[in-house]
Amino acid sequence: MLRRLVLSTAACLGFGSAAMACQPSLVVAPGDTLFSIAEEQLGDLSRWSLIFYNNPDIQGGSLLDLPAGTVLSIPCPDVVAQPQAPTPTVQADPKPLQQEVEAEIKLVTASNYAPFTDLDWPGQGMLTELVNAAFETTPNPLTYSIEWENDWSKHLFPMLDSKEFDMGFPWFKPDCAGNPSNERCANFHFSEPLVDLVILLFARAEDRFTFAQDTDLHGKTLCRPAGYFTHDLDRADRRWLSDGLVTLAQPATPDDCFKMLVAGDVDAVALNEFLGVQKMFEMGLTDKVAPLSRPVSIEGLHVLISKKHWRGTAHLYRFNAGLAKLKQSDRYNEIVSRHLALFWDQIKS
């Protein structure tokens, strides 16, 4: 159905005690980690991702080794703003696919991907709000619309490839430098990342193993559902799959992966932080499963556009300019902090 749109987690997943005094701006001291700062400032180890996503400059780096002297913006509960959700320049009631949409740029996304894109989530999701806000700050803004098709398999081909839609989101970007023939790399241009998503390993709490370096996983069996990307497991500097260093199980669903983990059939499940933690709570596994603190990878979520689009470069330049301006503003932090806080509160309630 298509509709028009008018995160140490490794150490503790329970509520922590209230922070004594949260500082909106904090200078990283030697030895600080996102986990220790979250416990000290927010009273809860598991809220490290609020700080991570609230500070784009540290995304792509280590969660455990923050450079001393780095100034972090802390989303303190009593100072996080609650702005109104931005709305597209073009608005309309839900309408079927066949009906013409009067907008200069048409975007497509899908639901059921909370807290990122979801029709039932406030603002229709964090990334939907960020896309709206970025378009509102673009130079010489154009009218645009966001529409919903919940079958992700239709988005790239045929919808975006045929230019039925101009742009789509959110999508992971494969290792295009190392594998330019990848279908997604060969056919689409990618925006700058809306956010970076942390990919973690979830292991049995009773026998969590050390993951300090890649060789610690040699001989292990990981689980990731069929159809999910695997480029982070098999890249130029990490040939886990090509060289047979790591075995990958690929059942149908994330639930199947966690069932295999509990049964001892795999050593760890490799998923993004949000989906992994959500499944732990849904399946009642918080006392049996825990995430490891070192990420497997940090993957950006992007807007993309077909390389065959005659205005593709111009549209992407306009969007990236708006996104860059947004990331320099308080509004970016406000949107991200609000959605992450709501996600963790809902998961734990």
Side-chain angles (χ1 to χ4, degrees):
M1 175 183 65
L2 185 71
R3 293 182 61 182
R4 168 67 86 50
L5 171 69
V6 115
L7 281 267
S8 120
T9 308
C12 172
L13 286 168
F15 282 110
S17 58
M20 294 299 293
C22 181
Q23 305 174 48
S25 181
L26 179 143
V27 178
V28 174
D32 280 349
T33 69
L34 283 185
F35 307 127
S36 65
I37 294 171
E39 183 176 34
E40 175 186 337
Q41 298 295 318
L42 303 178
D44 189 345
L45 290 164
S46 69
R47 289 178 177 253
W48 63 268
S49 56
L50 275 72
I51 302 173
F52 177 81
Y53 290 104
N54 204 52
N55 293 270
D57 289 346
I58 68 171
Q59 294 179 19
S62 171
L63 307 183
L64 301 176
D65 186 21
L66 297 175
T70 301
V71 179
L72 297 180
S73 173
I74 308 298
C76 299
D78 57 340
V79 299
V80 174
Q82 301 293 324
Q84 292 294 317
T87 54
T89 305
V90 173
Q91 303 182 45
D93 295 326
K95 59 200 311 179
L97 176 62
Q98 293 80 9
Q99 191 166 344
E100 184 66 24
V101 178
E102 298 298 335
E104 293 169 282
I105 300 177
K106 296 194 298 181
L107 296 95
V108 63
T109 188
S111 193
N112 303 318
Y113 193 28
F116 303 112
T117 58
D118 194 303
L119 282 165
D120 296 324
W121 192 267
Q124 283 74 47
M126 178 205 301
L127 299 189
T128 309
E129 281 207 44
L130 290 177
V131 167
N132 280 316
F135 268 112
E136 290 175 3
T137 57
T138 59
N140 303 313
L142 300 177
T143 57
Y144 69 98
S145 65
I146 297 176
E147 304 184 32
W148 299 79
E149 168 55 65
N150 287 340
D151 185 348
W152 289 96
S153 68
K154 295 179 181 178
H155 288 205
L156 301 185
F157 304 95
M159 288 181 167
L160 291 170
D161 181 66
S162 68
K163 298 178 287 296
E164 177 182 354
F165 289 89
D166 300 294
M167 307 176 87
F169 72 95
W171 291 92
F172 289 107
K173 182 179 180 180
D175 178 13
C176 293
N179 185 18
S181 63
N182 176 280
E183 180 180 62
R184 205 173 293 181
C185 300
N187 290 282
F188 297 95
H189 293 300
F190 292 80
S191 73
E192 293 299 314
L194 296 165
V195 295
D196 283 334
L197 197 57
V198 179
I199 311 300
L200 295 176
L201 291 178
F202 296 82
R204 290 180 294 276
E206 62 186 21
D207 59 358
R208 279 186 296 170
F209 51 85
T210 299
F211 177 39
Q213 53 192 2
D214 279 7
T215 54
D216 291 332
L217 291 188
H218 291 181
K220 302 290 187 183
T221 299
L222 305 183
C223 189
R224 182 175 286 169
Y228 285 45
F229 67 83
T230 60
H231 60 260
D232 60 331
L233 308 179
D234 209 37
R235 60 197 191 202
D237 62 338
R238 177 189 283 172
R239 295 174 55 84
W240 284 345
L241 305 183
S242 295
D243 293 347
L245 302 172
V246 171
T247 301
L248 180 63
Q250 295 182 287
T253 68
D255 297 61
D256 293 333
C257 274
F258 278 100
K259 291 175 183 176
M260 294 176 70
L261 177 64
V262 173
D265 297 328
V266 299
D267 296 298
V269 177
L271 291 174
N272 78 68
E273 173 203 4
F274 298 96
L275 180 57
V277 171
Q278 180 181 1
K279 289 301 175 183
M280 287 172 57
F281 277 86
E282 286 180 357
M283 300 175 70
L285 299 176
T286 56
D287 60 336
K288 297 180 180 180
V289 174
L292 306 185
S293 57
R294 182 188 182 216
V296 174
S297 62
I298 298 178
E299 306 290 331
L301 287 170
H302 305 256
V303 172
L304 51 70
I305 190 167
S306 172
K307 289 183 176 180
K308 296 189 293 187
H309 197 295
W310 72 281
R311 298 187 67 187
T313 302
H315 284 342
L316 204 59
Y317 173 82
R318 178 178 284 107
F319 179 79
N320 280 336
L323 181 61
K325 185 176 180 180
L326 175 66
K327 286 187 174 183
Q328 295 170 358
S329 70
D330 292 337
R331 189 179 183 189
Y332 181 89
N333 290 348
E334 290 169 350
I335 292 171
V336 171
S337 297
R338 175 161 40 86
H339 284 281
L340 291 179
L342 177 60
F343 175 82
W344 290 116
D345 287 344
Q346 288 198 3
I347 284 291
K348 294 182 175 182
S349 64

